[in-house]
Amino acid sequence: MIRRDLNGMTLLAFDWIFLIEKLVLIAVIITASLVIAMYETYAERKVAAWMQDRRGPNRAGPFGLLQPLADGGKLFFKEEIIPNSANKWLFILGPSLAMLTAMMTCAVVPWGSSLHLFGRVIDLQVADINIGILYVFGVVSMGVYGIMIGGWASNNKFSLLAALRGASQVISYELAMGISLIALLMMTGSLSMKTIVEQQIANPHWWNIIYQPLGFLIFFTCAMAECNRAPFDLPEAESELNMGYHQEYSSMKLGFYLFAEYINMFISSAIMATLYFGGYDIPFVNEASLAPNTAAILGVLSLLTKIFIFIFVFMWIRWTLPRFRYDQLMDLGWKKLIPLALANMLITAVVILLKNH
Amino acid sequence: MQALTQRSRAVDRKPLTLWERIYLPAVLKGMTITFGHMFKKRPTINYPEKTRPFSPVFRGLHVLNRDEEGRERCTACGLCAVACPAEAITMEAAERKNGEEGLYREEKYAARYEINMLRCIFCGLCEEACPKDAIYLSETFAPSNFARKGFIYGKDDLLIPNPKTQPEELAKARGEA
């Protein structure tokens, strides 16, 4: 890293504080997403209960708030079973990969503007890479390996079939997701998530949802399918197919698979909020009029609020709709969403072309 | 063919309209229903903290009654054991000695009186069979224990507190305190 010295001399020096800054940020983000994912499990059960006129977990701690800890503790103490015929390395790699890909996506999400602390400007984003969205897509498509390797390594034909089912679902919906995103990228002209957010904050420009409602709808549906959430939870289908690709898993390895789903939900909510709902933009407030630190903190809170609303909608949909049949799923993905996304892309392209001429 | 009831309805097999095939309006409709349910009153009762009121004729765990002077009413006639369809009741009779008049109402009493709560079906036939008003089914229910042995209730579990010597306990057991 090249840093300009005060004397005007250019030194080739490594900015160690920068490294510490980023490490702290990474630690904070990982901890936060783990805690949020933990409490998502609690929220899921509570929301499910409310929607079914039940009370939900309320025994462990006040309002059952310690329930996720109890669940996690239970999973840790469960017997760890690795089937005899399973490929041990791949069997362990599967859940690790699922967890890894779920966590890796946090790196490019801009969680807020920047903090001014100790005379330094700290960006609340681990890495503002100019191919942010592409990176997200790359990592998300790696998530298929978590499913595939898990199913393959179990050496069980049903797990393998379930893994195939899951993988083909994820891959089919990634197409429509990518195409719906292209329409958005044509508008923003940038793949950097920070730039996309800043464009939405800039005053005459509204949030992208105003310009891309159909694109958002497609993106949202596909995100739900990518996260294997109901009504697209066919890879799991606990009621009729009994788990699926993680059939042979037990203890915390199973916990990791289930947990990765919740982290994915959190991250995809974050990405949707960033791409379509202005990221850390505070609605109806001009951030420039606030002190930069206040603006940054309020921005983070605003982003988190948007994320939580999305998570709630995810849960809300899960506890409303029944699961798709597999042919309906493929029908929706290939015959409805992809043509719609293509049409959306074409219309956006034409509109942009007409505006620029 | 004559229909047995008027409740049967012809199934509508018309193909879905475009509005229905878009699917989103139906999704939104479903979501409003589930959202509405979030604010409904929940029928669940937080059981150990709150209990449901029972009717006075509820058939819960048994109690052995005493008369106003605190004497045991049971005379170990065995009618309850005979009436019991589940054969949950066992007893041993004994003769009242001199000086025990304050303890037992009649000359004969139950030295041992046991009800196996795991066998009992809580039908209340013992209550009906008793000529001495000695056995009653209370409103307490759901006993819990770690061992089967704990479900065999003896006299010390069944007898109500003595109204003469332990009036507070009796009021508490009756739920009046």
Side-chain angles (χ1 to χ4, degrees):
Chain A
M1 182 149 299
I2 298 168
R3 183 176 150 210
R4 189 165 282 274
D5 194 297
L6 279 176
N7 303 326
M9 272 168 65
T10 308
L11 294 173
L12 192 64
F14 191 76
D15 189 354
W16 286 100
I17 303 176
F18 177 78
L19 185 71
I20 293 169
E21 201 180 284
K22 288 296 174 198
L23 282 177
V24 168
L25 194 62
I26 291 170
V28 167
I29 290 173
I30 286 183
T31 319
S33 40
L34 284 175
V35 170
I36 288 173
M38 226 164 82
Y39 275 91
E40 267 174 86
T41 62
Y42 169 78
E44 172 108 270
R45 294 174 64 179
K46 273 291 189 195
V47 169
W50 290 336
M51 290 192 171
Q52 296 167 352
D53 297 340
R54 294 184 286 114
R55 283 180 193 274
N58 62 354
R59 294 287 128 179
F63 305 108
L65 277 172
L66 299 178
Q67 190 67 41
L69 290 177
D71 286 343
K74 184 206 93 173
L75 279 172
F76 268 114
F77 284 106
K78 283 268 185 171
E79 189 184 350
E80 183 100 43
I81 300 167
I82 298 182
N84 272 339
S85 54
N87 184 330
K88 271 202 187 63
W89 278 110
L90 290 182
F91 195 76
I92 296 167
L93 186 66
S96 323
L97 210 58
M99 202 66 175
L100 182 77
T101 52
M103 299 295 305
M104 261 167 72
T105 334
C106 329
V108 292
V109 177
W111 299 99
S113 45
S114 41
L115 282 174
H116 296 256
L117 283 180
F118 315 114
R120 293 180 65 89
V121 178
I122 303 169
D123 277 337
L124 292 177
Q125 183 182 17
V126 177
D128 181 19
I129 48 178
N130 55 4
I131 52 157
I133 293 286
L134 210 57
Y135 167 86
V136 170
F137 264 70
V139 172
V140 165
S141 48
M142 249 170 67
V144 184
Y145 287 104
I147 296 179
M148 269 319 281
I149 289 175
W152 172 263
S154 305
N155 209 352
N156 165 350
K157 58 193 167 208
F158 294 113
S159 294
L160 183 61
L161 281 173
L164 281 175
R165 194 172 67 226
S168 61
Q169 172 190 328
V170 171
I171 291 169
S172 321
Y173 277 78
E174 223 157 70
L175 280 175
M177 196 185 206
I179 297 171
S180 71
L181 200 66
I182 289 174
L184 180 80
L185 295 180
M186 283 194 293
M187 281 178 46
T188 58
S190 168
L191 285 162
S192 154
M193 304 201 49
K194 187 114 185 167
T195 318
I196 293 176
V197 174
E198 274 161 4
Q199 278 177 359
Q200 293 180 78
I201 293 179
N203 233 349
H205 199 282
W206 288 319
W207 289 353
N208 284 334
I209 175 78
I210 307 287
Y211 306 105
Q212 284 289 331
L214 182 63
F216 168 70
L217 207 65
I218 297 166
F219 192 92
F220 183 70
T221 316
C222 295
M224 220 147 45
E226 293 279 301
C227 294
N228 296 334
R229 296 282 306 171
F232 302 103
D233 60 342
L234 280 119
E236 193 177 336
E238 63 243 87
S239 51
E240 64 255 36
L241 298 170
N242 186 13
M243 303 296 259
Y245 60 91
H246 45 52
Q247 174 79 75
E248 299 287 351
Y249 283 88
S250 58
S251 185
M252 207 53 203
K253 288 212 215 57
L254 172 69
F256 269 18
Y257 266 128
L258 304 180
F259 211 59
E261 182 189 319
Y262 284 96
I263 297 176
N264 273 329
M265 192 158 87
F266 169 62
I267 299 296
S268 58
S269 301
I271 286 171
M272 275 190 290
T274 308
L275 291 181
Y276 289 96
F277 284 84
Y280 50 82
D281 182 23
I282 313 162
F284 313 115
V285 172
N286 185 9
E287 277 90 347
S289 63
L290 297 167
N293 279 351
T294 333
I297 291 167
L298 286 179
V300 172
L301 289 180
S302 152
L303 178 62
L304 281 178
T305 318
K306 289 169 193 169
I307 291 173
F308 292 148
I309 292 172
F310 268 118
I311 290 174
F312 174 72
V313 173
F314 266 122
M315 289 172 182
W316 185 4
I317 292 175
R318 170 167 183 183
W319 296 105
T320 304
L321 299 180
R323 190 173 296 131
F324 279 105
R325 218 168 50 210
Y326 199 66
D327 61 319
Q328 291 170 333
L329 177 93
M330 285 293 147
D331 190 67
L332 181 70
W334 288 94
K335 293 195 203 150
K336 308 239 163 70
L337 289 184
I338 290 180
L340 260 182
L342 280 171
N344 184 48
M345 185 177 87
L346 279 177
I347 293 166
T348 315
V350 168
V351 170
I352 289 173
L353 208 64
L354 290 177
K355 259 183 85 180
N356 290 355
H357 278 277
Chain B
M1 200 181 79
Q2 182 78 39
L4 289 172
T5 63
Q6 278 104 50
R7 275 178 292 177
S8 64
R9 295 272 177 279
V11 180
D12 186 9
R13 294 198 191 279
K14 270 181 285 181
L16 297 178
T17 58
L18 181 69
W19 184 250
E20 285 164 330
R21 267 186 295 143
I22 294 172
Y23 191 50
L24 279 177
V27 169
L28 292 177
K29 198 175 150 199
M31 283 170 73
T32 50
I33 292 173
T34 40
F35 197 74
H37 271 270
M38 290 188 54
F39 307 102
K40 284 225 171 114
K41 200 175 165 285
R42 309 182 201 304
T44 320
I45 291 161
N46 274 334
Y47 167 56
E49 289 92 42
K50 272 189 211 136
T51 45
R52 237 167 68 190
F54 288 129
S55 96
V57 294
F58 182 83
R59 299 195 295 256
L61 295 180
H62 312 67
V63 289
L64 279 179
N65 220 354
R66 293 177 194 270
D67 66 1
E68 312 76 51
E69 289 153 50
R71 299 177 298 188
E72 289 176 23
R73 281 177 164 273
C74 180
T75 61
C77 64
L79 281 180
C80 50
V82 171
C84 182
E87 302 191 339
I89 304 178
T90 345
M91 68 186 71
E92 254 168 41
E95 204 176 333
R96 185 176 71 183
K97 306 256 165 40
N98 283 335
E100 284 181 341
E101 285 85 356
L103 294 176
Y104 311 110
R105 190 181 161 91
E106 321 250 337
E107 296 91 76
K108 191 168 149 241
Y109 70 96
R112 194 164 70 90
Y113 191 100
E114 279 173 0
I115 301 179
N116 188 339
M117 292 299 177
L118 292 176
R119 298 206 64 150
C120 177
I121 59 170
F122 303 98
C123 60
L125 287 184
C126 45
E127 190 179 3
E128 280 175 38
C130 186
K132 297 286 178 191
D133 272 357
I135 187 162
Y136 275 95
L137 266 58
S138 68
E139 286 175 34
T140 325
F141 74 115
S144 60
N145 214 302
F146 288 109
R148 279 165 180 262
K149 214 158 72 180
F151 286 104
I152 298 170
Y153 279 38
K155 262 177 84 175
D156 24 338
D157 305 302
L158 293 167
L159 269 174
I160 61 166
N162 194 325
K164 276 274 151 74
T165 54
Q166 311 157 291
E168 297 93 13
E169 279 94 334
L170 183 67
K172 211 175 142 196
R174 278 190 174 149
E176 287 160 359

